[in-house]
Amino acid sequence: AQTVTQSQPEMSVQEAETVTLSCTYDTSENNYYLFWYKQPPSRQMILVIRQEAYKQQNATENRFSVNFQKAAKSFSLKISDSQLGDTAMYFCAFLSTDTDKLIFGTGTRLQVFP
Amino acid sequence: DGGITQSPKYLFRKEGQNVTLSCEQNLNHDAMYWYRQDPGQGLRLIYYSQIVNDFQKGDIAEGYSVSREKKESFPLTVTSAQKNPTAFYLCASSIGGAQTYEQYFGPGTRLTVT
């Protein structure tokens, strides 16, 4: 069975600085997708970024980028130029192309300080 | 505006009563999902449906039931058999079909059972 591990329960960063959130996963599949979702205090789950396992190039979305290491089964999220609005829970998630099931990590609570 | 709606935002029930949570989407997505979120945990899959009139159990289906009579609607019933129903419930949808796509989430319903 697939598992997703986020080893940092809480992180903090000063506004305008850069922070990296860690995620590792375990799977025997070769084709899959990885996602980072953001859950602000409103509790709405918002898709931040997506990575297809077959793509070697790391995904980027404006200030958000990932470091995808397929052999190491690692998928970290880098937030550059952090903003107060980035304060939220961040969940790493694995999507199996076989089952279409999304498996979540336990989340990292990020606090951005002014 | 296309999106997923869940109502109500907050729901209170007495122990022993069944309660139905609403989820509607106008994204023309084939697949719909129900997740449960407890404090300190990631989301866990309750039920999912990849097409109208068909649905499958997720990882924690006991005490829950669903129906999928219409493409745009996927209501979840929390029955009195669910031992610990107080939680935050999130509905999601994805394009589905032959391709695997990311899931988009509704705003959630906070259910409190006393």
Side-chain angles (χ1 to χ4, degrees):
Chain A
Q2 295 91 355
T3 58
V4 177
T5 302
Q6 293 180 252
S7 59
Q8 305 155 315
E10 295 184 359
M11 295 277 287
S12 62
V13 63
Q14 195 151 26
E15 203 174 5
E17 297 295 309
T18 295
V19 64
T20 298
L21 308 184
S22 301
C23 174
T24 58
Y25 58 95
D26 189 25
T27 184
S28 57
E29 297 182 22
N30 195 44
N31 294 319
Y32 50 87
Y33 293 78
L34 295 163
F35 304 93
W36 279 97
Y37 281 90
K38 168 185 177 180
Q39 188 178 41
S42 67
R43 305 198 75 173
Q44 171 84 52
M45 292 287 283
I46 301 164
L47 178 65
V48 174
I49 199 163
R50 138 195 178 131
Q51 175 80 43
E52 292 90 338
Y54 63 85
K55 288 187 177 178
Q56 290 186 336
Q57 187 173 4
N58 289 325
T60 62
E61 285 289 339
N62 301 313
R63 298 183 295 107
F64 299 88
S65 62
V66 298
N67 183 4
F68 173 48
Q69 303 287 330
K70 191 173 184 179
K73 295 179 183 173
S74 171
F75 182 60
S76 61
L77 174 70
K78 185 171 84 170
I79 306 174
S80 304
D81 186 26
S82 297
Q83 300 175 0
L84 296 178
D86 295 334
T87 292
M89 282 288 287
Y90 286 82
F91 291 96
C92 178
F94 171 98
L95 180 59
S96 164
T97 55
D98 287 342
T99 66
D100 266 351
K101 285 187 179 182
L102 196 57
I103 299 166
F104 286 85
T106 52
T108 296
R109 184 176 303 279
L110 176 67
Q111 179 74 50
V112 180
F113 290 98
Chain B
D1 274 340
I4 303 171
T5 56
Q6 291 185 245
S7 61
K9 191 170 178 64
Y10 300 96
L11 192 54
F12 298 88
R13 280 293 184 271
K14 295 288 188 186
E15 199 172 314
Q17 293 179 335
N18 291 355
V19 59
T20 297
L21 281 60
S22 165
C23 178
E24 304 276 333
Q25 55 98 0
N26 60 3
L27 300 167
N28 200 32
H29 285 174
D30 282 317
M32 296 186 74
Y33 311 81
W34 273 106
Y35 294 91
R36 170 183 172 135
Q37 186 178 26
D38 294 286
Q41 297 192 34
L43 279 64
R44 293 182 291 167
L45 182 64
I46 305 172
Y47 266 98
Y48 64 106
S49 167
Q50 293 178 318
I51 199 166
V52 175
N53 292 321
D54 188 40
F55 49 83
Q56 289 79 39
K57 292 182 180 180
D59 300 319
I60 54 166
E62 187 175 348
Y64 299 98
S65 65
V66 293
S67 62
R68 187 83 188 279
E69 297 175 2
K70 298 187 294 182
K71 187 176 185 178
E72 59 270 22
S73 178
F74 190 42
L76 173 75
T77 297
V78 184
T79 75
S80 56
Q82 168 50 232
K83 296 193 187 321
N84 187 17
T86 294
F88 187 63
Y89 292 87
L90 284 154
C91 177
S93 71
S94 69
I95 293 176
Q99 300 263 7
T100 299
Y101 286 95
E102 57 264 33
Q103 296 177 18
Y104 295 92
F105 287 80
T109 292
R110 171 69 183 176
L111 173 64
T112 302
V113 177
T114 58

